[in-house]
């Protein structure tokens, strides 16, 4: 019996085969899939904001790119993943509306992607694949058995990374 | 009293916010119903304090394809106003307005024409304007709105935009949501008012709470 573990906004979870892990309707948020291909343990965090240090109320670690990634790595290690095996695939960070006069809101998707990449680089985790930016939403589903990430978007072909 | 705490909103505050949704959406549905010349009814507004992960459940799931028309609010009340409709329902609405009724029934795959998109933007403008002007005259607060920003996509992706704004100040979103629909449920959708926390206080204060 395999099931799909769904991860909501500002949340995270871990998964092993035969289960799949998914997040639905990613907009400006970024879905970060971390994966230990040897132990076949995957984790997915749905980050909303780039930087926990800029926000006063930062009790939910999974809300931010910086703390979300670090916490997810720990969650994975806790169930048996090996830290140095971990690789990443990322998706999301779209700009859903073309705001004309609010630069900060306009760039939130980009900033989420930048912060995610920066944090992964800092931790020495390679990004194997990404589908980020543009102006459309994405549903992503990761299979820890095959290591493949399926990305569905409205009116677009299924993308497999 | 006027200070609002996301973790403990009292019943009085809930009632007042619900009434605001009632008046705003009441005006907006009247505007809509005049536009399409049919009766449009609405349900009792819901004031909901939601965790981000529950947010897209209110409109029927994160993957549902919807048309979202978003306004950013400024002035005494800032935040966002979202007018959200099922894609098919909005096509139906555009067809009624443009008199394209004889055309084939729209399906999930049908694309909007340029004209349709522009009509939709205008519908959003009029309807949200009706909602906000009633809110503004009730509270005596100035509310200025941006131009409409439209996206046709998955509900979760569209709702991530207001969610992120709320994410900067807390772990939950407080919103006033009203569902509307005509009797055949052809034209149904949601109004979602998402003021910032500070604006909730201004609204409640202006009403003497």
């Amino acid at each position: 019996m395999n099931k799909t573990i769904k991860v909501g906004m500002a949340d995270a979870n871990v998964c092993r085969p035969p289960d799949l892990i998914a997040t639905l309707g990613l907009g400006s948020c970024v879905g970060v899939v971390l994966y230990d291909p040897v132990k076949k343990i995957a984790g997915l965090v749905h980050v909303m904001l780039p930087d926990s240090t800029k926000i006063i109320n930062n009790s939910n670690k999974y809300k931010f790119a910086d703390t979300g990634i670090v916490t997810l790595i720990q969650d994975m290690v806790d169930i048996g993943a090996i830290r140095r095996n971990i690789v990443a695939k990322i998706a999301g960070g779209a700009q859903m509306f073309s705001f004309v006069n609010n630069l900060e809101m306009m760039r939130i998707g980009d900033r989420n992607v930048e912060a995610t990449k920066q944090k992964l680089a800092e931790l020495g985790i390679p990004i194997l694949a990404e589908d980020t930016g543009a102006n459309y939403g994405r549903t992503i589903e990761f299979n820890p058995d095959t290591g493949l990430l399926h990305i569905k978007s409205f009116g677009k072909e299924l993308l497999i990374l | 009293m006027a200070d609002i705490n996301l973790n403990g909103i009292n019943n009085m505050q809930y009632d007042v916010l619900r009434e605001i949704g009632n008046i705003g959406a009441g005006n907006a549905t009247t505007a809509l119903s005049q536009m399409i010349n049919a009766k449009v009814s609405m349900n009792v507004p819901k004031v909901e304090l939601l965790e981000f992960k529950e947010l897209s459940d209110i409109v029927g799931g994160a993957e549902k394809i919807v048309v979202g028309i978003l306004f950013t609010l400024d002035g005494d009340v800032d935040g966002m106003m979202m007018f959200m409709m099922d894609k098919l329902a909005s096509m139906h609405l555009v067809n009624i307005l443009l008199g394209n009724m004889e055309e084939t029934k729209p399906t999930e795959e049908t694309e909007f024409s340029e004209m349709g998109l522009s009509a939709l933007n205008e519908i959003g403008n009029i309807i949200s304007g009706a909602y906000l002007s009633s809110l503004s005259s009730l509270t005596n607060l100035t509310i200025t709105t941006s131009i409409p920003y439209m996206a046709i996509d998955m509900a979760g992706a569209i709702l991530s935009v207001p969610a992120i704004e709320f994410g900067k100040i807390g772990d939950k979103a407080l919103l006033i949501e009203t569902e509307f629909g005509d009797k055949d449920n052809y034209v149904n959708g949601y109004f979602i008012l998402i003021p910032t926390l500070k604006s909730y206080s201004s609204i409640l204060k202006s009403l003497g709470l």
Side-chain angles (χ1 to χ4, degrees):
Chain A
M1 270 301 282
N2 62 339
K3 61 175 193 292
T4 302
I5 298 167
K6 295 209 170 88
V7 176
M9 221 178 269
D11 200 6
N13 215 327
V14 291
C15 153
R16 340 162 162 259
D19 295 345
L20 307 174
I21 192 162
T23 192
L24 313 180
L26 269 173
S28 300
C29 303
V30 174
V32 184
V33 174
L34 297 179
Y35 176 51
D36 174 346
V38 181
K39 299 277 180 181
K40 294 198 187 295
I41 290 173
L44 172 59
V45 58
H46 185 146
V47 302
M48 291 175 76
L49 289 162
D51 189 354
S52 66
T53 59
K54 299 247 163 58
I55 308 280
I56 310 149
N57 186 338
N58 54 11
S59 56
N60 179 358
K61 302 271 179 265
Y62 298 125
K63 196 160 72 176
F64 306 96
D66 54 350
T67 48
I69 292 170
V70 173
T71 316
L72 181 61
I73 291 173
Q74 192 54 49
D75 295 345
M76 290 167 66
V77 168
D78 286 348
I79 63 160
I82 308 292
R83 167 69 180 82
R84 64 172 184 281
N85 290 347
I86 293 176
V87 292
K89 292 190 177 184
I90 63 174
Q95 182 197 319
M96 299 306 298
F97 295 94
S98 37
F99 295 111
V100 286
N101 52 6
N102 190 327
L103 276 180
E104 204 212 330
M105 252 158 63
M106 181 151 165
R107 290 204 56 250
I108 189 71
D110 285 343
R111 290 200 294 134
N112 278 335
V113 174
E114 281 162 21
T116 300
K117 286 184 178 169
Q118 195 192 334
K119 193 68 200 178
L120 290 171
E122 226 172 81
L123 297 166
I125 295 174
I127 299 173
L128 297 191
E130 66 167 300
D131 176 35
T132 55
N135 63 349
Y136 52 86
R138 298 165 172 92
T139 281
I140 65 171
E141 188 182 73
F142 186 76
N143 182 338
D145 195 30
T146 59
L148 292 177
L149 182 66
H150 287 221
I151 303 176
K152 280 186 289 181
S153 297
F154 170 57
K156 297 202 164 45
E157 301 262 315
L158 174 72
L159 182 66
I160 300 173
L161 296 178
Chain B
M1 183 68 186
D3 282 332
I4 197 156
N5 174 350
L6 274 190
N7 297 315
I9 299 173
N10 62 41
N11 282 342
M12 180 74 158
Q13 290 170 328
Y14 259 118
D15 284 347
V16 169
L17 295 176
R18 196 175 295 129
E19 191 51 27
I20 284 171
N22 221 344
I23 294 169
N27 269 284
T29 41
T30 308
L32 179 62
S33 125
Q34 281 167 354
M35 233 188 287
I36 64 173
N37 207 8
K39 191 172 151 50
V40 180
S41 47
M42 57 179 234
N43 67 2
V44 179
K46 281 186 251 174
V47 176
E48 294 189 280
L49 182 62
L50 297 173
E51 287 196 42
F52 296 123
K53 56 184 170 196
E54 309 162 326
L55 200 59
S56 44
D57 295 338
I58 57 170
V59 293
E63 284 190 293
K64 188 166 146 186
I65 301 302
V66 296
V67 175
I69 302 177
L70 178 84
F71 299 83
T72 56
L73 312 180
D74 227 322
D76 296 333
V77 176
D78 51 11
M80 288 181 182
M81 165 91 203
M82 175 94 85
F83 172 62
M84 208 173 219
M85 285 182 89
D86 196 270
K87 187 175 174 232
L88 277 179
S90 58
M91 291 196 132
H92 189 79
L93 181 58
V94 166
N95 279 348
I96 295 175
L97 277 175
L98 300 181
N100 295 343
M101 289 312 284
E102 67 283 2
E103 276 186 21
T104 45
K105 226 173 166 329
T107 66
E108 265 320 319
E109 275 74 46
T110 324
E111 293 289 328
F112 281 102
S113 61
E114 273 298 306
M115 184 69 182
L117 284 177
S118 142
L120 207 51
N121 247 326
E122 196 47 35
I123 294 166
N125 225 348
I126 293 170
I127 295 179
S128 306
Y131 190 118
L132 293 167
S133 71
S134 67
L135 172 59
S136 169
S137 52
L138 178 75
T139 56
N140 254 329
L141 295 170
T142 315
I143 308 172
T144 43
T145 63
S146 67
I147 57 164
Y149 298 107
M150 184 164 59
I152 304 172
D153 213 308
M154 292 186 257
I158 288 178
L159 285 169
S160 74
V161 176
I164 285 171
E165 288 306 299
F166 246 92
K168 292 178 185 166
I169 51 165
D171 288 323
K172 285 177 179 174
L174 179 61
L175 46 89
I176 306 174
E177 175 227 338
T178 317
E179 189 178 358
F180 63 87
D182 64 353
K183 69 175 193 327
D184 306 317
N185 232 17
Y186 267 145
V187 179
N188 60 336
Y190 300 86
F191 303 111
I192 305 171
L193 180 66
I194 315 173
T196 60
L197 214 49
K198 203 172 107 259
S199 305
Y200 274 109
S201 302
S202 315
I203 293 171
L204 291 171
K205 208 175 282 172
S206 75
L207 296 169
L209 281 171

